[in-house]
Amino acid sequence: MMNAGPVERAILMDTKEFKSFWKEKGPYQYALTSMEFPPVLLEPEEWLFSNDVKALLKELMQFDRQKMKIVKSPFNPGNKSILRPSELSEWKINNFPEEWNRCECELFVPEGHLTGVVLDEAKKEAENRDKQIDKEQVEDAFFNGLEKRIEGLGYTLLKPTGSSKHAVVTDYLDEWKKDELEAGFL
């Protein structure tokens, strides 16, 4: 039975702990951890689990805790008194994670200014619904894009593939176990 809770955090030091956690609390549709050391926005060996990828990514960013929100940027096309780089959209995320200011991602630049890539995706969605672009569509476009690009930011996102209803963890755990054996931990 799948856990219906929004996001679960756990420090899992080895494959045995992961398997035990997965059996006891899971399975989940999504599992995320850092590929980098030291990790960014996570504790060492910390995992996030959820059945909702947007909730998982928001938890990673600490979206609610840091009171982040999508707002109109001072770089909006209507404001002719400010020179705006062409790749920026008129949207930004307030209280953007400082740790991501050094990251390279086509969705955002430092301080959470969103790029035209996000706006283009939001426009497609708006056209499908015959609506004007609003902040909810921009937020959805940002998180959809982030899901596709999260590995480029130094994270591993395990998710369902094929007809699976939960994250496919077997290959990841096999590789992890192999690394543990080579390091002499098992």
Side-chain angles (χ1 to χ4, degrees):
M1 182 173 146
M2 277 193 207
N3 183 328
V7 178
E8 182 91 31
R9 288 179 168 266
I11 305 288
L12 304 170
M13 304 295 281
D14 55 38
T15 54
K16 186 177 178 183
E17 285 182 8
F18 187 100
K19 287 177 183 178
S20 175
F21 176 89
W22 192 259
K23 185 176 180 182
E24 186 179 308
K25 303 251 183 173
Y28 292 91
Q29 288 183 312
Y30 303 94
L32 180 134
T33 194
S34 179
M35 290 189 288
E36 307 292 324
F37 192 85
V40 176
L41 299 176
L42 292 172
E43 296 297 320
E45 311 299 335
E46 185 173 25
W47 284 83
L48 302 179
F49 299 92
S50 182
N51 291 322
D52 178 344
V53 71
K54 184 176 176 180
L56 181 109
L57 295 171
K58 278 185 155 188
E59 178 67 21
L60 172 66
M61 291 177 68
Q62 302 172 13
F63 204 87
D64 294 332
R65 218 172 328 167
Q66 298 299 326
K67 296 179 176 36
M68 291 179 203
K69 59 183 171 180
I70 302 216
V71 297
K72 287 281 190 169
S73 165
F75 295 122
N76 91 56
N79 187 349
K80 303 296 183 200
S81 66
I82 295 176
L83 185 61
R84 176 178 72 92
S86 60
E87 72 271 4
L88 293 185
S89 77
E90 65 262 28
W91 298 92
K92 75 174 281 199
I93 299 175
N94 272 356
N95 301 322
F96 192 73
E98 184 178 320
E99 296 86 346
W100 281 8
N101 282 339
R102 294 175 295 280
C103 294
E104 288 187 34
C105 182
E106 66 180 351
L107 300 173
F108 59 84
V109 297
E111 303 304 320
H113 292 280
L114 302 181
T115 66
V117 173
V118 175
L119 195 58
D120 291 344
E121 189 63 36
K123 283 179 185 174
K124 285 181 205 170
E125 189 58 36
E127 288 170 3
N128 290 342
R129 296 182 191 175
D130 294 325
K131 289 183 162 185
Q132 293 287 352
I133 296 173
D134 60 23
K135 73 177 186 175
E136 285 78 25
Q137 289 166 320
V138 172
E139 182 176 298
D140 287 344
F142 172 74
F143 284 107
N144 289 339
L146 188 59
E147 176 188 354
K148 294 173 190 163
R149 294 164 181 87
I150 195 71
E151 290 194 6
L153 295 174
Y155 299 92
T156 296
L157 176 63
L158 305 178
K159 54 188 174 180
T161 59
S163 62
S164 179
K165 292 184 174 136
H166 56 270
V168 178
V169 299
T170 329
D171 290 343
Y172 186 84
L173 289 176
D174 288 346
E175 190 173 321
W176 190 3
K177 188 172 185 173
K178 181 181 168 200
D179 290 345
E180 289 175 336
L181 283 168
E182 287 175 4
F185 296 140
L186 294 178

